[in-house]
Amino acid sequence: MANQYFYKPENALKRANELSAIGNEKGALQVLHDVLTAKKSRTWVKVLESIMLKYIDIAVDLKLHRHAKDGLHQYRNISQQQAPQSLEAIIQHLLKAGESRVAKAAKEARSMNLGKGKAVADLECEQTPEAIMLSTMTDEGDGDRSEREVLVPWLKFLWETYRSVLDILKTNSKLEKVYHQTAQRAFEFCVQHERKTEMRRLCETLRHHLSNLQRATAQGNTNRLRGWEGWTQEGIELHLATRFAQLEAASAQELWTEGFRTVEDIHQVMRISKKPPKAKLMAKYYERLTKIFWVSGNYLFHAYAWWRHAQLAKESQKRPPPVEDQIQMACSVLLSALAIPDASDGAPDEQGLGQSGDPDDVDAEKMARMATLLGFRGHPTRAALLAEIAADDELVDVFGHDLPAHVRALHEALENTFAPRKLAGTVAPLLKELKEATPRLAHYAEPLARVAVSRVVAQLGRVYSVVTLDNFEQLVAPLSVPADDVEKLIVGAAGGPGGGASSGGALARVDHRLGVLRFPEEPQAAPASRHLGDLARYVAEAAQAARDHKPEEMRDPERAAKRARLFEMARAASARDHESALERKQVIERRKEEQERLMAEKKAAEDAEERRLEAERKKEEEARLEREAKRREREKLEKMRAELQVQEAKEQMKALGKDVGDEIINMKEEERQKLIKDQRDKQRKAEQNEAKKMLEQSKRLDYITRALRLEELPVLEARYAKRLEEDRARHDAQYVESVEKGKVDHAAALLEKKRLARVQSHREKWEAGVLAARKAAYVKARADAEQQHKEEAIARKVARARRRREDYLDDLERARAEDEERAYEAAADALRAEEERAWEAQQAERREAEEAQRREEEEKRAAEIARHRAEAERLRAERAAEAEAADAQERERRQAADGPSDWRRGGARPDDGPPPRRGFGGD
């Protein structure tokens, strides 16, 4: 609520300065906050800008980013429509203050780390006792702790400031430039301080803002976005520039996943724009993509990115670049294209765009989507890229004259040389020279070596059926590719266990048991591009031979006469051509009539579609009315929910020990939550202080206990050793004593056995008598037990019969009750069925009426269509009759003109000479 003592902003600013002068910064901040939230301050005046600047300075000094964000929101509501330039000045002041404090804190942290060297009294003592004790409790060093204490709070403040500014300006079209400048400054902050987590969150925040704008534009509901005036070309360019900066920052921090997601964002922004971005901007974009695709191992898109970068750089530069830059770019384009694994050699399709055509291939779908996002036509391939490079005149000139000799030799060896036993030896020194002569291109050496291995294997397969592994290893040894990688290339190309390739065909199969490399028996089919190239070369040679060769018929009179007779026969067949033209005319007429019929049917279908659309419009109007009713109901519920929130806030404050009156009703929800939060923070702070005290006491107790145990450990060890010696001596004495006692007891037992041997016969007689008496007692006890068991079984049967009788009577009573209930339900069901039948009869009558109306409309429509068809048939018959009459007249005219013929169709006799030529230009 507004402070009642300061009705004018000038007085509030004066009072805030007085409080700041005496050190009461929080009081001054509260005074300024009351002015900003007062209802009388809803109209912008110049003094509010001074108040906001003072408010920002105090919030920055106290590191209260939440208060700074709240103040920005309040000032945005005041100045967004009346003075947006003032809001821009306040935001720039806040960002500048936060960034300066971060720079100062970083400098202070570095100076603290450097100044700690002066505090070391003894240089031979590497660490102080305090540092040793801290190192036992944490892994952090002195520098990390200093940074955490001094720099991290300001980093957090600046990060929250960036987030607050972006959230405030996300839909403000007037300050769109400030929004994008803030985003780019946030990117610089993440890169400078290596904040990868914050970088991911920042990218997600910008992505969320963009999706909200697109969703509102697609729904046509931009009014709900406060301050948003729709998409403009300048705004789209700003979005693109921000996304390019985001891509650069993600690449600098090696966040490749965010880089790929940023590419998708750029594609979304480009779809919004009606004009393509500037070539210079796109050139930088593709230059950054080359690094991303190279790190991800996607050589195909890496090469295409270089190719697009070269084209766009050429378009964007007003004057030609230096020759060195042209050569460097041309080398990058050519080597990146050569480094792509060639599917025509059976190499594994590392890009996920193989020839398998499997629609369920997730990698293929992903890479096809990436190709679409980057603007590539169809599925980009190595052959297509090399063809486009060859079609570029400027690059061809560079390739032919200015490229380094080893680069041109690499291209010739990998693309135009067939020498399976010498190819590796030719390529290896060229790759070495590539590393030494052009260090900036040395990273292409490894993929080019792999491509050379694939070329060697493919060319060996065209010449040999089996090659020993030793011989093969000698052939590829100059390339210095590890044996495991070579085998992976072959196996990856072969695909399945049988060596059948899944993309480019089987190269070979490694047989380690016999130590050979087996190639397919049938020659591998060349790719379509190679067949077309061969065909073009053969056609060119044949055309050249035809131009150099004089036709035979020009030198042979007989062949010339034969040729003349053939032309005479062609002239004679002209009548048949005329009849064919007439038949074609009739076909055209029939097609015209069919087209007219289709147009009539289309008109009828359009009428039906118009009626259907009218019905849909009526349904949409009913749905709109229903939505309005739901909206009014939702507003009513929201009002009830607000009242409930006020009641809950009162109860929460009362539970926290503070009674509030009706003044809480006029508060906003944020203010109520802030009041509740402050009260909770007080209680939580007291609990935290108590817990901290207990923690310190427990740590002190742990230290004391640990010290006592360390002191008593030697005493306990000595006592244990002494007791161990005493126990060992006692055990030895007891063992000797037990052995002597056992010997004595054994001798006494032997004497007792000898003494009792005389009474063994008497013992047996006494034992037999005792057993007989016990057996008789057992028989009698068994008979008594059986008798008792029979009596108990009879009693159980009687009890079971009585229980079954009672259950039977209960079942009868339950069945009677269920029958009565079923009868009642049956009566109710019958009543419901009667009501349903009546309702269905009404529905049936309504449907019959609708069906009758529909049939009537269909009959009318069918009659209309039948009438149109009859009219079309009549016109068709009339035109057919006219055509027939015209044909008859034409035949009569020809017969009258040509006269009777006794030789062949055409009207010429053998002795009349050849007929006159009609329409031929010569022999």
Side-chain angles (χ1 to χ4, degrees), residues 464-700:
Y464 304 101
S465 60
V466 177
V467 175
T468 62
L469 289 178
D470 295 337
N471 189 11
F472 176 71
E473 291 175 358
Q474 293 177 0
L475 291 178
V476 299
L479 296 174
S480 300
V481 179
D484 294 339
D485 293 345
V486 173
E487 186 169 349
K488 287 178 182 178
L489 285 173
I490 299 173
V491 173
S502 61
S503 60
L507 274 180
R509 186 173 59 194
V510 181
D511 190 346
H512 285 288
R513 185 177 58 181
L514 300 179
V516 296
L517 194 65
R518 298 184 183 276
F519 298 96
E521 295 182 0
E522 296 181 0
Q524 187 176 2
S529 60
R530 189 169 302 169
H531 281 313
L532 292 176
D534 295 342
L535 181 60
R537 185 168 62 253
Y538 297 153
V539 170
E541 293 175 357
Q544 183 65 30
R547 285 193 297 269
D548 298 338
H549 184 66
K550 188 176 181 180
E552 289 289 338
E553 56 270 18
M554 299 300 294
R555 301 192 298 267
D556 191 353
E558 295 181 359
R559 298 189 66 175
K562 184 177 180 181
R563 183 169 178 270
R565 286 195 299 271
L566 289 175
F567 275 108
E568 292 296 335
M569 294 173 63
R571 295 189 191 96
S574 61
R576 291 196 301 272
D577 295 339
H578 179 67
E579 292 181 359
S580 299
L582 292 177
E583 292 178 357
R584 184 172 178 273
K585 181 180 179 182
Q586 293 178 0
V587 171
I588 292 173
E589 291 294 332
R590 287 196 297 271
R591 290 180 179 176
K592 286 183 180 179
E593 295 170 359
E594 183 67 19
Q595 185 69 21
E596 292 175 356
R597 181 184 64 80
L598 292 176
M599 291 296 294
E601 293 179 355
K602 182 180 179 181
K603 182 65 169 59
E606 289 177 352
D607 295 340
E609 181 67 16
E610 186 176 355
R611 289 192 296 271
R612 185 184 66 79
L613 293 176
E614 181 65 24
E616 289 183 355
R617 280 193 291 270
K618 291 181 179 179
K619 290 182 180 179
E620 290 178 357
E621 181 65 20
E622 294 175 356
R624 187 186 64 80
L625 295 176
E626 184 178 357
R627 287 196 300 271
E628 289 292 331
K630 289 182 179 179
R631 182 182 60 79
R632 290 191 293 270
E633 183 67 21
R634 188 166 54 254
E635 291 176 353
K636 182 178 178 182
L637 291 176
E638 289 177 354
K639 184 178 179 181
M640 295 173 61
R641 189 180 297 109
E643 295 176 355
L644 183 61
Q645 289 176 353
V646 172
Q647 185 64 27
E648 290 178 352
K650 288 183 178 180
E651 293 177 356
Q652 289 179 3
M653 292 299 296
K654 187 175 181 181
L656 294 173
K658 184 177 180 180
D659 293 332
V660 292
D662 295 337
E663 65 272 9
I664 198 174
I665 299 177
N666 299 326
M667 290 185 179
K668 296 182 180 179
E669 180 63 22
E670 295 81 2
E671 296 175 348
R672 288 196 294 268
Q673 294 299 328
K674 180 182 178 183
L675 187 61
I676 295 172
K677 182 177 178 299
D678 293 341
Q679 190 66 21
R680 285 178 178 171
D681 289 342
K682 291 180 181 179
Q683 291 187 354
R684 190 180 299 110
K685 188 174 181 181
E687 294 174 357
Q688 289 176 353
N689 291 334
E690 186 66 23
K692 185 177 180 181
K693 189 181 298 182
M694 293 297 294
L695 181 61
E696 291 176 354
Q697 292 178 1
S698 64
K699 286 184 177 180
R700 183 176 182 83

Side-chain angles (χ1 to χ4, degrees), residues 114-134:
L114 294 175
K116 286 184 179 181
K118 301 177 181 179
V120 178
D122 187 2
L123 293 178
E124 295 182 359
C125 181
E126 296 182 356
Q127 290 183 332
T128 62
E130 295 82 1
I132 294 174
M133 293 180 65
L134 286 174

Side-chain angles (χ1 to χ4, degrees), residues 387-402:
E388 290 184 5
I389 293 174
D392 193 322
D393 295 336
E394 294 188 10
L395 280 179
V396 169
D397 292 340
V398 176
F399 292 162
H401 304 289
D402 298 331

Side-chain angles (χ1 to χ4, degrees), residues 2-158:
N3 195 317
Q4 58 180 345
Y5 299 106
F6 306 106
Y7 297 98
K8 293 185 178 181
E10 295 83 355
N11 296 338
L13 180 59
K14 182 178 179 181
R15 179 58 179 166
N17 290 329
E18 293 174 354
L19 292 174
S20 298
I22 62 175
N24 190 1
E25 300 287 348
K26 291 188 176 180
L29 188 67
Q30 185 62 39
V31 169
L32 298 177
H33 185 270
D34 291 340
V35 174
L36 293 174
T37 57
K39 293 183 179 179
K40 294 184 178 180
S41 301
R42 295 307 179 190
T43 302
W44 184 85
V45 290
K46 183 63 177 178
V47 69
L48 289 178
E49 183 174 344
S50 302
I51 290 176
M52 193 62 198
L53 291 174
K54 183 64 176 178
Y55 182 91
I56 290 298
D57 291 338
I58 298 175
V60 172
D61 291 337
L62 299 178
K63 302 178 186 177
L64 299 176
H65 61 83
R66 294 184 183 275
H67 290 72
K69 179 180 179 181
D70 188 22
L72 277 180
H73 275 284
Q74 298 296 336
Y75 195 72
R76 189 270 308 270
N77 297 335
I78 297 172
S79 62
Q80 182 173 5
Q81 300 297 331
Q82 303 174 18
Q85 68 279 1
S86 177
L87 178 59
E88 179 181 356
I90 295 300
I91 290 174
Q92 296 292 354
H93 179 75
L94 175 60
L95 294 176
K96 185 177 180 181
E99 291 170 352
S100 63
R101 292 302 180 92
V102 169
K104 183 179 178 181
K107 184 177 180 181
E108 183 180 354
R110 288 193 297 269
S111 64
M112 288 177 63
N113 293 332
L114 294 175
K116 286 184 179 181
K118 301 177 181 179
V120 178
D122 187 2
L123 293 178
E124 295 182 359
C125 181
E126 296 182 356
Q127 290 183 332
T128 62
E130 295 82 1
I132 294 174
M133 293 180 65
L134 286 174
S135 64
T136 60
M137 303 297 295
T138 178
D139 294 335
E140 293 181 345
D142 293 341
D144 296 335
R145 282 192 293 274
S146 300
E147 183 178 348
R148 185 183 63 189
E149 295 171 0
V150 179
L151 181 60
V152 170
W154 284 112
L155 290 178
K156 182 178 180 182
F157 179 85
L158 183 56

Side-chain angles (χ1 to χ4, degrees), residues 412-433:
E412 181 67 23
L414 292 177
E415 295 300 316
N416 302 321
T417 301
F418 186 86
R421 303 189 64 86
K422 298 180 181 179
L423 182 60
T426 304
V427 172
L430 297 177
L431 295 178
K432 183 177 180 181
E433 186 176 358

